């Protein structure tokens, strides 16, 4: 019997858009609606969606300053997509680090297949060059994308992830509020069928990536 949670993608999208991580401020998520979706069920790393998400129709700029069509570049490839920003002091670097650790545990052939795409939620500060340098420290094969904020926000919304424009706090800190979910897209269908929250560990990703690379349910 399957041990992972399953939820309706439509229902999740409604609450995920409201659940933002206060990266940069050390704050808590805006609300705990996601937890309420699966109340009474022990929390598991992976949420397998009954109704998978369509891959966002996003055309942005990569870390080399070149046009990057998300659907075209990742078609038929196992893909993890995450929206965050490089000045985030906690959730974003930890998430990318955990994925990088898990990726290195894969056979080389599977490492080459896996696409990890980080889309900035703070495009004003995350230039292609700065984003590239930040990701290189995690994994030089990770793809970083930037562009205008409305386009990024609309793309995130297509997979139920809410992000707000960065704002400056009284102490001068710039905070980017964004959903901290990682969405896994199948190489078989190009649909986003598995979701991971910010508490997912490197061990969790290490366990699941072999299945995700094949387009199987972890």
């Amino acid at each position: 019997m399957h041990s992972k949670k399953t939820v309706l993608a439509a229902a999740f999208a409604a609450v995920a858009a409201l659940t933002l991580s206060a990266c940069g401020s050390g704050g808590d998520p805006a609300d705990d609606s996601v937890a309420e979706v699966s109340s009474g069920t022990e929390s598991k790393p992976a949420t397998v969606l009954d109704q998978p998400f369509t891959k966002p129709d996003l055309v942005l700029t990569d870390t080399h300053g070149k046009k990057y069509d998300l659907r075209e570049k990742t078609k038929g490839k196992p893909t993890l997509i995450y929206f965050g920003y490089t000045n985030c002091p906690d959730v974003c670097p930890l998430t990318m680090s955990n994925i990088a650790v898990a990726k290195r545990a894969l056979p080389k052939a599977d490492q080459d297949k896996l696409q990890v795409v980080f889309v900035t939620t703070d495009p004003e500060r995350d230039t292609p060059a700065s984003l590239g340098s930040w990701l290189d420290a995690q994994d030089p094969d990770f793809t970083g994308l930037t562009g205008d904020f409305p386009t990024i926000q609309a793309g995130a919304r297509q997979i139920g992830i809410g992000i707000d424009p960065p704002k400056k706090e009284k102490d001068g800190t710039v905070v980017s509020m964004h959903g901290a979910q990682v969405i896994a897209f199948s190489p078989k269908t190009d649909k986003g069928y598995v979701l991971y929250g910010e508490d997912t560990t490197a061990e969790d990703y290490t366990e699941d990536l072999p299945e995700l690379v094949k387009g199987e349910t972890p």
Side-chain angles (χ1 to χ4, degrees), residues 125-190:
R125 291 188 296 170
D126 284 343
T127 64
S130 64
L131 182 55
S133 296
W134 187 82
L135 284 174
D136 279 348
Q138 303 284 354
D139 187 311
D141 291 326
F142 283 0
T143 296
L145 300 179
T146 188
D148 65 274
F149 183 83
T151 298
I152 292 170
Q153 185 180 49
R157 204 173 275 147
Q158 291 175 38
I159 52 175
I161 295 175
I163 61 176
D164 287 343
K167 63 179 181 179
K168 184 174 290 188
E169 299 292 296
K170 292 180 179 179
D171 63 359
T173 302
V174 177
V175 178
S176 177
M177 299 285 288
H178 63 90
Q181 299 82 23
V182 173
I183 310 289
F185 289 80
S186 168
K188 297 178 179 178
T189 64
D190 281 318

Side-chain angles (χ1 to χ4, degrees), residues 4-218:
K4 308 295 186 183
K5 296 180 294 181
T6 58
V7 298
L8 291 174
F12 182 83
V15 295
L18 299 175
T19 307
L20 310 181
S21 287
C23 291
S25 67
D28 295 323
D31 64 44
D32 58 358
S33 303
V34 172
E36 295 173 9
V37 173
S38 55
S39 59
T41 303
E42 182 183 355
S43 179
K44 300 291 183 181
T47 298
V48 180
L49 303 175
D50 286 345
Q51 297 180 15
F53 288 113
T54 297
K55 191 172 290 181
D57 185 12
L58 267 177
V59 179
L60 296 170
T61 301
D62 67 15
T63 53
H64 303 289
K66 296 181 179 180
K67 173 183 172 183
Y68 188 98
D69 185 319
L70 180 65
R71 287 182 177 176
E72 177 185 312
K73 294 288 189 179
T74 62
K75 184 176 182 180
K77 300 176 182 178
T79 304
L80 302 181
I81 296 178
Y82 181 79
F83 289 80
Y85 70 119
T86 66
N87 284 282
C88 171
D90 38 42
V91 178
C92 302
L94 179 60
T95 297
M96 289 295 100
S97 176
N98 286 342
I99 293 173
V101 168
K103 180 188 168 187
R104 288 194 288 272
L106 289 171
K108 182 62 167 63
D110 287 346
Q111 291 186 40
D112 292 342
K113 293 175 185 176
L114 182 65
Q115 306 296 300
V116 180
V117 180
F118 181 95
V119 185
T120 182
T121 59
D122 184 13
E124 185 173 335
R125 291 188 296 170
D126 284 343
T127 64
S130 64
L131 182 55
S133 296
W134 187 82
L135 284 174
D136 279 348
Q138 303 284 354
D139 187 311
D141 291 326
F142 283 0
T143 296
L145 300 179
T146 188
D148 65 274
F149 183 83
T151 298
I152 292 170
Q153 185 180 49
R157 204 173 275 147
Q158 291 175 38
I159 52 175
I161 295 175
I163 61 176
D164 287 343
K167 63 179 181 179
K168 184 174 290 188
E169 299 292 296
K170 292 180 179 179
D171 63 359
T173 302
V174 177
V175 178
S176 177
M177 299 285 288
H178 63 90
Q181 299 82 23
V182 173
I183 310 289
F185 289 80
S186 168
K188 297 178 179 178
T189 64
D190 281 318
K191 298 287 188 178
Y193 71 117
V194 183
L195 178 146
Y196 294 91
E198 63 183 82
D199 294 329
T200 306
T201 66
E203 290 76 17
D204 295 329
Y205 284 117
T206 300
E207 180 180 348
D208 288 2
L209 280 185
E211 282 74 34
L212 296 178
V213 167
K214 300 173 186 175
E216 298 174 356
T217 300

